[in-house]
Structure formats: structure tokens, C-alpha cells
Amino acid sequence: MCETGREKALLEVLRRGLELHGQKQTEAQLGDRSAYLGMSDIARYADCPRAAVAGKLAEADTTVERLLTLQRGHWFEDGIAGSLAAAGLSFMRQVEISDSYAGVPIRAHLDLALVWEKPKPAVRVLEIKSMETLPKEPYEAHERQVMGQVAMLDELWDAPRFTLRREDGSIAHEKVGFPELCRRELGLNLPDNPEKVSIEGWLLCVSMRYARAFGPYLWDAHALERLREQAHEYWALLSGVKEGRAALSDIPHATGFHPLCTSCQFNGDCPKFPQGASQPQWEPALDKLENLKERRSELDGEIKELEAVLKVAHQLAGTQDWINTGGHRFRVSEIAGRSVLNRDTLKEELAAIFYSEHMDDIDVDALLARHERAGAPSSRLTVNAIN
Ligand code: SF4
């Protein structure tokens, strides 16, 4: 659909507003992000050093799509904070924890820190992730982020490293210990020793329709040490590129399949994708393929929705028979689940039988492998957008 001049102008006003609003929010809550390494930066570094270094140096992406994605995160956070407040819970937003290791400034910002005193003093660190589609398993980078937050909270518990800002960015409490911050902000008394407090981290992933929680993530004795070492390496590489001692192409990149590569802003000249010949004549075919795949996923969604409606209609009709609609008929029937051979339990049982029959020289793994059949090799087309 082609936008008219006035439609384009309206969207540009929206884009500019989102950009300004986002800048203001970031400055108020996170300060100058180039002056320190945040927990999400370090988690990204563990995924791909090149993307993390490039991300710290690049200008912010100000397309409406990117700005909306960032804002969606803030809107979700506001909604979730409002819901928790309505449920009567005590919490603080964007508590900042500062650390420094070998001259590298490190900061964690806790999206939400829920605190209570009874029956046992407890803190729940919630890291909120807004997403288009919820994953079945949490992303490793998100887990690293929340584990790093828990490690910093636990290890720096009583140290004057905690700062809380008001919504406009002005300081409410600066550089105090966490129990002191809770006393001042929430009127709650927590022990000075974190071992007497139940501390857990949780990932709360939310989309427009669903929410999923992953956790708990607990204190790990070596997490802060690992995190500091990674931050040190990251800072050294970043300074090298900033000061012209190294180029982005010298920074190691993720290897093998990596889900981030498709959406990575720096995939255009990434050495992970060795460049072959340039054949621009295939661009229209790839565009068309991408469009067809998008339409297929839209159609899949519509088909699923309609099927769900018809299943409910059949259930409400209270019959096992076909329902006649004139030109079609439909009914719902139960289908048995797919049966799958459990290789592990079969292996255990065979090993037990061979043992009891004094045939334990038989290699059960080799026996099973002799009866496995590999499918014929096939070719797979991989298409990535160059961002
Ligand atoms: S494209 Fe993949 S490997 Fe290359 S910088 Fe981005 S995330 Fe790293």
C-alpha cells in the first residue's frame, strides 16, 4: 500500500516523537550508556563480541520499526509495574547497581525488584522482555543478564553501590547499600547479611497476547567473577577499536548457527558470511520468496484461529456426528498422539537383560546404531536479510 504525503508526514511525526521520548527516557534512567558496560551489553558480548563492540559504537537505529520495538518494552514494563502495584506488592523500578573492575565501569539496572520482609525476607529480581513470539526456552543471553543481576545484588548487597532515580532522572537515593535503599524507599527492614534473604532472579517474557516466566535464577559463586572478566575483555576490545588500534574485522564473531545473525544490525559485512559472487538478478526472486513465506505464516495463523473456532462450534453442538453446513460438513475427532521410541530406556532395559543373561560384553550403543537409518541427504536454502 502506497502512503500519501499526509500519511507519511503523520508517520514522521510519530517517528520523531518516539525518538525524542526514547532519548529522554534513556538519559533519565540509564545515563550515558557509552560510559559503562551494562548487563545486557555483557550478555550480548558472550553471544558475539563483534556485535557487542559494534553495537556500543554505532549510532542508534531510528527507524520507526526499531523505535516501536524499544518503546514496546517500556510500555510493557509500565503495565506490569501498574499490575504489581494493584496487587499490593512492594517494589522498586530501575535500581542501579554500580561496580568497577580493573578500571572497567559496570552497571546493572533491575527492571523491577520486588521486596518483602515476611514470612522470610526476600527479593525477586524481574527482568522483563517484550517479544513478538514467546520462546519455549529462555534465550541464553537473557539468562546471563538476570544471573549477572542476581550476582551483583548478592555480592554488593551492603556496599554503597545502589542508586535509585525518580522518573524524571533526578536522584532519589544515591550510593547506598541495598537494605538501606529498601528502608528509605519502601520502609522495609532487610538483614545486612544477604545469606538471610531469599534472592531469586526471574525472566518475565511478554508478547501482546501471552506471558511466560522462566526461573528462578539463583546466586552462583563464580558468576560475578566471570562477568567481570568478560567485561574486562570487552572493554579492552572496545577501547582498541575506539582508539584506532584495531578494526571491527579483528574482533571475534559468533560461529555456527546463531539466531541473532538474521536481525543483527552489523551482518552486512560480517566475516561470518564469506562473500561469493555478486548476482543482483536474483534479488527479486529472494524478495518474492520472503513475501511468500510471510504470507504463509499469516495464513497459518488465520487457519489455526478458524480451526479453533470450528472446534468450539462442534463441541457446543454436543454431537459426535458430522455437522452439515450445506456445501461442506465438519466434525472433531480424537487422534492418538504420535508414538516415539525412547532410546534411553530401551538401552537401559537391554543392558539389564544382557547383564542378567551374562552377555554384558554386548555393546548396546553399537547394537542400536546398527539398526538406525539415516535419511537421504537433502539440500537446504538459507536466506538472510542484509541489514
Ligand atoms: S551477523 Fe552474527 S556473527 Fe556477525 S556480528 Fe552479527 S551476530 Fe555476530
Side-chain angles (χ1 to χ4, degrees):
M1 188 175 57
C2 261
E3 287 152 5
T4 64
R6 297 186 69 201
E7 286 164 353
K8 274 191 189 153
L10 176 57
L11 289 177
E12 177 51 24
V13 172
L14 172 69
R15 193 202 64 75
R16 185 71 187 130
L18 285 169
E19 187 181 359
L20 292 172
H21 185 50
Q23 279 168 0
K24 222 168 113 188
Q25 264 177 329
T26 304
E27 272 165 32
Q29 295 301 328
L30 306 178
D32 176 6
R33 295 197 66 193
S34 66
Y36 64 88
L37 294 180
M39 209 48 59
S40 59
D41 297 325
I42 301 169
R44 190 180 191 192
Y45 175 80
D47 263 345
C48 175
R50 181 179 182 272
V53 169
K56 217 60 187 159
L57 297 172
E59 294 283 311
D61 181 353
T62 56
T63 56
V64 78
E65 292 80 9
R66 180 68 191 144
L67 293 168
L68 272 174
T69 305
L70 290 175
Q71 268 308 312
R72 188 181 63 188
H74 293 300
W75 293 332
F76 274 135
E77 256 179 65
D78 288 346
I80 288 166
S83 314
L84 296 179
L89 296 170
S90 290
F91 60 87
M92 293 175 282
R93 295 182 65 181
Q94 295 301 336
V95 173
E96 179 182 289
I97 316 174
S98 312
D99 187 27
S100 171
Y101 175 69
V104 180
I106 304 170
R107 282 191 211 169
H109 291 92
L110 314 183
D111 284 345
L112 285 161
L114 295 170
V115 185
W116 60 86
E117 274 179 291
K118 288 179 182 158
K120 183 181 178 196
V123 183
R124 298 289 177 262
V125 173
L126 293 194
E127 175 62 29
I128 299 167
K129 296 292 177 199
S130 82
M131 299 171 164
E132 301 259 338
T133 318
L134 298 186
K136 285 202 174 69
E137 301 293 335
Y139 295 130
E140 275 181 41
H142 294 167
E143 293 193 305
R144 280 194 290 269
Q145 189 180 349
V146 75
M147 283 159 79
Q149 291 169 346
V150 168
M152 282 181 78
L153 173 63
D154 199 294
E155 300 229 3
L156 303 174
W157 181 257
D158 204 21
R161 306 286 183 87
F162 294 81
T163 296
L164 188 69
R165 290 184 172 76
R166 298 187 189 91
E167 217 174 310
D168 63 2
S170 59
I171 302 280
H173 311 286
E174 191 174 24
K175 295 196 177 143
V176 292
F178 192 73
E180 178 62 20
L181 185 65
C182 294
R183 256 189 299 278
R184 292 192 195 179
E185 182 64 18
L186 305 173
L188 295 176
N189 287 308
L190 292 190
D192 289 337
N193 181 353
E195 283 177 17
K196 295 183 179 158
V197 184
S198 155
I199 301 176
E200 292 178 0
W202 285 82
L203 274 173
L204 186 57
C205 299
V206 278
S207 71
M208 290 303 286
R209 297 180 65 191
Y210 303 105
R212 190 167 290 157
F214 299 104
Y217 298 95
L218 307 175
W219 175 75
D220 158 1
H222 303 292
L224 190 60
E225 197 182 313
R226 271 197 310 270
L227 191 136
R228 284 171 167 166
E229 278 164 13
Q230 277 179 339
H232 190 241
E233 270 175 35
Y234 181 4
W235 195 253
L237 291 175
L238 184 63
S239 309
V241 178
K242 266 188 193 168
E243 292 157 16
R245 286 181 280 109
L248 196 55
S249 52
D250 301 328
I251 310 293
H253 56 78
T255 51
F257 170 75
H258 204 291
L260 281 184
C261 295
T262 316
S263 57
C264 174
Q265 211 184 324
F266 315 103
N267 72 7
D269 56 355
C270 179
K272 185 180 164 186
F273 304 96
Q275 291 306 307
S278 168
Q279 297 198 357
Q281 73 271 26
W282 294 112
E283 183 63 15
L286 291 176
D287 270 345
K288 190 171 175 188
L289 183 63
E290 192 181 6
N291 280 334
L292 286 171
K293 283 186 173 176
E294 266 172 28
R295 272 171 49 203
R296 179 171 65 187
S297 59
E298 275 169 28
L299 284 174
D300 279 348
E302 283 181 38
I303 289 170
K304 272 194 193 135
E305 262 179 41
L306 212 44
E307 283 182 344
V309 168
L310 290 168
K311 279 183 188 169
V312 173
H314 192 273
Q315 205 180 11
L316 292 175
T319 176
Q320 303 292 319
D321 296 335
W322 293 88
I323 293 180
N324 191 325
T325 59
H328 298 86
R329 59 169 77 97
F330 72 101
R331 79 169 180 186
V332 179
S333 44
E334 291 299 316
I335 296 168
R338 197 162 66 97
S339 65
V340 182
L341 183 66
N342 186 332
R343 199 180 187 282
D344 292 338
T345 52
L346 175 63
K347 186 181 144 186
E348 270 173 31
E349 195 167 337
L350 282 176
I353 293 170
F354 291 150
Y355 178 74
S356 66
E357 297 296 323
H358 307 292
M359 295 158 70
D360 36 3
D361 54 330
I362 294 178
D363 182 339
V364 180
D365 280 321
L367 174 69
L368 290 174
R370 281 199 294 280
H371 295 276
E372 276 170 2
R373 291 282 170 271
S378 58
S379 59
R380 188 177 65 175
L381 174 70
T382 309
V383 181
N384 279 335
I386 299 176
N387 297 324

